[in-house]
Amino acid sequence: MQKVASLPLPSADALDASAALSTCIGDAIDAAGGWIGFDRYMALALYAPRLGYYSGGAAKFGRDVRDGSDFITAPELTPFFARTLARQFAPLMGMDLPRVMEFGAGTGRLAADLLLALDDEGALPDTYQIVELSGELRQRQQETLAARAPHLADRVQWLDELPVRFEGVIVGNEVLDAMPVRLFARHGGRWHERGVAHRIVGSAGPHAFTFEDRTLPDAAVPEAVRAMPGDHDVVTETHAEAEGFARAVGAMLARGAAFFIDYGFPAAEYYHPQRAGGTLMCHYRHHSHTDPFLYPGLQDITAHVNFSGIAHAAVDAGLAVAGFASQARFLMNAGITELLMELDPSDAGAFLPQANAVQKLLSEAEMGELFKVIAFTHDLDAALPLAGFARGDRSHAL
């Protein structure tokens, strides 16, 4: 665990907001009898009204610690990410699917750059819908669109909830990893659910909360967890909320395609016996660490995605898996290197920053292998060519 002293200190106002959220979480623990599941803690830490990380006013997305942000995403790195997605989406737009819906729109950078790129492709959607519950993020998205694509901003609509029916293309970049997870720990050969309780006053440590494990009967242990080989000590997660989200998308998508980009693994890798520490991770001021109780509401809390669980839930809801590939393979298949070569390599000031950003998206040591792209379709031709999965499709691993 990284020491608090090695991380940038929040402002006094931010600390006050974190303290208020800690009180809210503490009240929830008291109301539940002294213990809540980690999924409940994570939901409050990220989404409690006006206080949670995503519902409050933290900067979140940005390039480095100087802008007050905590992490950077692919759309913030380079417009070539959106331009490559547009090359994949444009043929779908031409199949009488003139709408796009985005989840996890962040600053609005992907929305703005996608609209610009689709316009260039001659495939501009009639409407671009963003599902966003955070008022602070919605305002940032509006500002980004007004600055980067003012002539297209009137095509964007914000939704507070999913529509009953949608026809078009759905995209979600780094949205699944931010959905609350349950934690499970095996020690002494027995499975426990790892939850959150108050830290005992006077005990070591700076935080108000601590992990507390509760033994589970075998019948209450999720099948994916129970199937982990061996009897050695492990910690892992399950993703009921993300899988429920996949089912909701499946119920909503009457015709079209859905693309989700995130970091994670198929189940065989996710629940591999050597992954003994789980995948829970926190991000604060561009530092990664494993302490979810540090500054509640001021840091991101994530877990890698079990793409097999997402795929099975979507298929149960009537969708078909159209492809599953590493981000690097998907982007290269869809033409990112060809797009980059439209820049003049002799113009180092323009070419090198974009080339370096694209390399970060593609490199196995960066985002290229850890990040995956999964796509689902409904009521589309089964032979529909999706260029992003033309080579290196790993759907068989799901």
Side-chain angles (χ1 to χ4, degrees), residues 264-271 305-315 320-325 372-376 389 393-398:
F265 316 98
E269 295 180 49
Y270 199 100
Y271 295 112
V305 177
N306 170 16
F307 281 103
S308 296
I310 299 300
H312 294 160
V315 170
V321 176
F324 175 60
K372 311 294 193 305
V373 183
I374 193 167
F376 305 101
F389 304 105
D393 186 2
R394 303 181 191 175
S395 297
H396 62 277
L398 295 169

Side-chain angles (χ1 to χ4, degrees), residues 107-385:
T107 64
R109 180 67 182 267
L110 178 58
D113 288 351
L114 256 180
L115 281 167
L116 291 169
L118 287 169
D119 194 13
D120 288 343
E121 295 281 344
L124 192 63
D126 293 340
T127 59
Y128 192 108
Q129 298 177 326
I130 296 176
V131 180
E132 182 59 73
L133 302 182
S134 166
E136 182 267 336
L137 283 177
R138 184 178 295 198
Q139 180 178 346
R140 289 191 68 184
Q141 292 154 13
Q142 292 168 343
E143 293 169 353
T144 299
L145 284 156
R148 294 186 66 83
H151 59 298
L152 300 175
D154 61 353
R155 293 176 184 262
V156 182
Q157 302 172 351
W158 280 266
L159 306 178
D160 296 320
E161 57 186 13
L162 298 185
V164 174
R165 176 185 173 87
F166 179 79
E167 294 188 11
V169 177
I170 294 169
V171 61
N173 181 61
E174 292 196 53
V175 62
L176 298 172
D177 67 89
M179 296 187 179
V181 296
R182 293 177 72 190
L183 292 185
F184 295 89
R186 182 173 63 195
H187 47 84
R190 294 292 305 276
W191 280 106
H192 307 73
E193 180 165 8
R194 176 156 290 182
V196 180
H198 289 290
R199 184 178 290 279
I200 299 173
V201 175
S203 64
H207 310 318
F209 309 110
T210 187
F211 285 125
E212 182 178 299
D213 294 349
R214 293 196 169 183
T215 305
L216 290 172
D218 289 343
V221 180
E223 181 180 353
V225 171
R226 191 167 59 245
M228 285 191 74
D231 58 3
H232 57 295
D233 291 358
V234 296
V235 176
T236 192
E237 309 91 18
T238 61
H239 302 257
E241 184 152 338
E243 291 166 10
F245 168 76
R247 292 188 186 92
V249 169
M252 175 188 69
L253 185 59
R255 182 172 175 269
F259 296 79
F260 295 101
I261 306 105
D262 227 313
Y263 43 89
F265 316 98
E269 295 180 49
Y270 199 100
Y271 295 112
H272 193 281
Q274 292 182 354
R275 198 177 303 284
T279 71
L280 193 71
M281 186 61 62
C282 305
H283 303 280
Y284 174 74
R285 298 298 185 265
H286 293 267
H287 293 75
S288 297
H289 65 92
T290 58
D291 183 0
F293 306 130
L294 173 68
Y295 304 141
L298 306 185
Q299 66 168 352
D300 192 22
I301 306 173
T302 77
H304 288 47
V305 177
N306 170 16
F307 281 103
S308 296
I310 299 300
H312 294 160
V315 170
D316 286 347
L319 301 185
V321 176
F324 175 60
S326 70
Q327 176 176 281
R329 176 53 59 189
F330 177 89
L331 293 176
M332 287 190 291
N333 286 344
I336 194 169
T337 52
E338 289 88 342
L339 287 169
L340 182 63
M341 292 292 46
E342 293 177 3
L343 295 179
D344 181 1
S346 66
D347 183 356
F351 180 78
L352 288 180
Q354 293 303 322
N356 289 336
V358 168
Q359 175 65 13
K360 188 177 181 70
L361 297 181
L362 301 181
S363 170
E364 289 189 4
E366 298 278 357
M367 300 171 70
E369 175 58 33
L370 180 60
F371 279 70
K372 311 294 193 305
V373 183
I374 193 167
F376 305 101
T377 59
H378 188 252
D379 197 23
L380 294 181
D381 185 351
L384 174 73

Side-chain angles (χ1 to χ4, degrees), residues 42-54:
M42 185 171 172
L44 289 169
L46 297 182
Y47 303 109
R50 299 179 301 281
L51 295 173
Y53 180 74
Y54 283 106

